[in-house]
Structure formats: structure tokens, C-alpha cells
Amino acid sequence: MKSERVKVIIHCKRCGEKFTLRGRRVQDKIETGFKQCICSNDQDFEMITVDI
């Protein structure tokens, strides 16, 4: 199965920081390599995806 490239906008709900990344959609998951925000938040995010 070929993975699809997607643009991912990650918004931290704690500090308001935004990150724009490119990732790959593999099955039902999106892999970007993003681990945590600069405020050490690693769970409370809003993720928006856009197909490239």
C-alpha cells in the first residue's frame, strides 16, 4: 500500500503555538515525527490535515 503525503497543522491547546509539518498517511495514522510542543505538552493538540 502506498502512503499519501499530507500537510499537517498542529495547534497546541496549552500555549497556542502552531507547527506546520509534512507527513505521510499510512493506513489510518499520520506520521510526522512530532513528539511534543516547546511547552513540554505531549498530548493536548488540535491536528488539521490537508492532502498535498
Side-chain angles (χ1 to χ4, degrees):
M1 173 179 263
K2 187 176 178 182
S3 60
E4 299 176 27
R5 294 191 68 176
V6 293
K7 178 179 175 181
V8 181
I9 301 169
I10 299 172
H11 178 253
C12 178
K13 291 183 179 179
R14 290 187 187 169
C15 72
E17 189 73 34
K18 286 187 180 181
F19 303 92
T20 303
L21 305 168
R22 281 184 278 167
R24 295 200 179 269
R25 183 176 293 158
V26 180
Q27 295 175 351
D28 293 335
K29 294 184 179 183
I30 297 173
E31 297 179 9
T32 62
F34 184 82
K35 299 295 182 195
Q36 71 179 19
C37 181
I38 56 175
C39 70
S40 299
N41 175 17
D42 62 353
Q43 295 180 355
D44 195 18
F45 299 107
E46 176 183 3
M47 295 180 76
I48 301 168
T49 60
V50 178
D51 291 330
I52 297 178

